[in-house]
Amino acid sequence: MTRSGKESTVDTSPLRDLTVADGPFASVHFDFSHDTEDAAKVLELRLKEIEAALSDQRADQATIEAVLRAVRESEPPAGKAGRSIVAAHGEVLLDRRLIAPPPAQVVRFSALPYLLPLATHTEEAPAYVLVVTDRIGADITEYAGGEPRTETVEGADHPVHKVRGGGPAHHHLQNSAEETARRNLATVAEHVAKAAQRSGAGLVVLAGEKQARAALHEILPESVRRIAHEVEGATRADGSSRAELDRQVHELLAGRHLAVLDDLAERFRAGSGREDGLAVSGLEAVTGALAEANVETLLVGSPGDTAVFGGPDPAQVAVGKAGLRALGVSEPEPRRADEALPFAAVATGARVVVLDERLDLWEGFGAILRHA
């Protein structure tokens, strides 16, 4: 299932700590892929570019070094990936893996963090759990922002394989193998349920040996079974290719993501153009709703370099200085709209959605409101 353009959504709750941090902020979004023989060398070249760009923008050395250290001390991804890092005053405040590299490297040092690439290129679905299983155990990986967390569950490995032959001894061995495999999968199911709960997963992907994953699917708790999907590809064997598995996982994530976006676009259309509607567009209406903490979902199209004004509180945004002075802000500061509005959304608990081509948003911004 594909669609032209880029549309993405991000839950902003994990970003809220940024709203109490002091700027200025270094915001770095770049290609973190590790899919070629010279990937390590290419990454070093990118880091030199990032270092130079931050230096040119007068970022402090401690913050530059914090960004570089976070990358150099982390494990490389398997294949294509992107990375977003926000840092300030020598400390990394946010470090996220992206499902795909951004189309262009973005390096900013500014009063507010630049968060839109997180909405555009982060995971295309809620947190999810990937399970690669067989009759002995499973590798369970949680993807919930930050570094993936993998747990290996091993059960008894003897006897788990059916044997050829006949007679009472044969049937005993068969039954023993089935019982061992059943116990192993029951243990795996317990760990999968805990991983799904711990990560807040909206999707559980079951891969690996066909019979094992089907049996595991059947014995998962109902709440987990409802969000579980079986896919082909990958085994637990060393050196097993993950290319087909990765493709199917991304397809599942994209399908869930597009369904969410279709619903948001329909809600926006239904709520637009009515006095009692729950949707607005344009900078004046959207900044007003953000200042009142009345935005459920901020919609972003192509705002370009549009500027607004902001106050010391991240939620204080307005098109003109007069609007902020009415809120008691004595010295409104000019801000890039593509930084200030998403940051205000984070501060007020709103989601951020980037929509290209799906909706024509006046002045690059729209909002679904909490109340009319």
Side-chain angles (χ1 to χ4, degrees), residues 133-137 154-165 169-182 184 209 211-212 236:
T133 190
D134 58 23
R135 292 164 63 86
I136 297 174
E154 297 286 3
D157 60 1
H158 180 79
V160 295
H161 301 292
K162 294 182 180 180
V163 296
R164 297 180 182 275
H170 164 75
H171 291 298
H172 174 73
L173 287 173
Q174 292 286 65
N175 291 337
S176 181
E178 289 293 343
E179 178 60 22
T180 301
R182 188 194 64 78
N184 290 346
E209 186 181 289
Q211 289 184 333
R236 299 185 68 212

Side-chain angles (χ1 to χ4, degrees), residues 35-207:
D35 58 346
T36 61
E37 291 185 2
D38 63 344
K41 181 179 180 180
V42 171
L43 179 60
E44 275 302 317
L45 292 175
R46 290 195 183 107
L47 291 180
K48 290 183 183 298
E49 293 172 357
I50 290 168
E51 181 178 15
L54 288 173
S55 295
D56 289 346
Q57 296 174 63
R58 300 182 182 278
D60 58 283
Q61 191 60 35
T63 297
I64 296 174
E65 289 175 0
V67 171
L68 300 179
R69 185 167 56 250
V71 179
R72 288 176 175 143
E73 293 181 355
S74 63
E75 289 294 321
K80 293 287 186 184
R83 186 120 172 221
S84 287
I85 296 176
V86 176
H89 305 291
E91 181 182 358
V92 172
L93 306 176
L94 178 76
D95 189 350
R96 288 280 189 88
R97 300 289 180 102
L98 310 180
I99 198 167
Q105 186 164 286
V106 179
V107 181
R108 290 189 187 180
F109 187 67
S110 51
L112 299 177
Y114 179 53
L115 303 176
L116 282 186
L118 274 168
T120 309
H121 303 289
T122 195
E123 290 82 359
E124 296 171 310
Y128 71 98
V129 175
L130 173 62
V131 184
V132 181
T133 190
D134 58 23
R135 292 164 63 86
I136 297 174
D139 299 319
I140 304 168
T141 306
E142 299 171 38
Y143 294 87
E147 296 287 334
R149 180 183 186 274
T150 299
E151 173 188 21
T152 297
V153 179
E154 297 286 3
D157 60 1
H158 180 79
V160 295
H161 301 292
K162 294 182 180 180
V163 296
R164 297 180 182 275
H170 164 75
H171 291 298
H172 174 73
L173 287 173
Q174 292 286 65
N175 291 337
S176 181
E178 289 293 343
E179 178 60 22
T180 301
R182 188 194 64 78
R183 287 198 302 267
N184 290 346
L185 290 174
T187 301
V188 170
E190 292 177 7
H191 284 264
V192 171
K194 290 177 182 177
Q197 182 179 30
R198 183 169 52 237
S199 62
L203 175 68
V204 173
V205 182
L206 305 178

Side-chain angles (χ1 to χ4, degrees), residues 222-245:
E222 173 60 24
S223 59
V224 181
R225 193 161 64 246
R226 285 199 305 269
I227 60 172
H229 295 264
E230 294 181 47
V231 299
E232 301 286 341
T235 70
R236 299 185 68 212
D238 291 339
S240 171
S241 172
R242 293 287 295 268
E244 176 60 16
L245 175 59

Side-chain angles (χ1 to χ4, degrees), residues 275-292:
E275 289 187 9
D276 61 344
L278 289 175
V280 296
S281 61
L283 285 172
E284 189 76 42
V286 173
T287 56
L290 284 167
E292 295 172 356

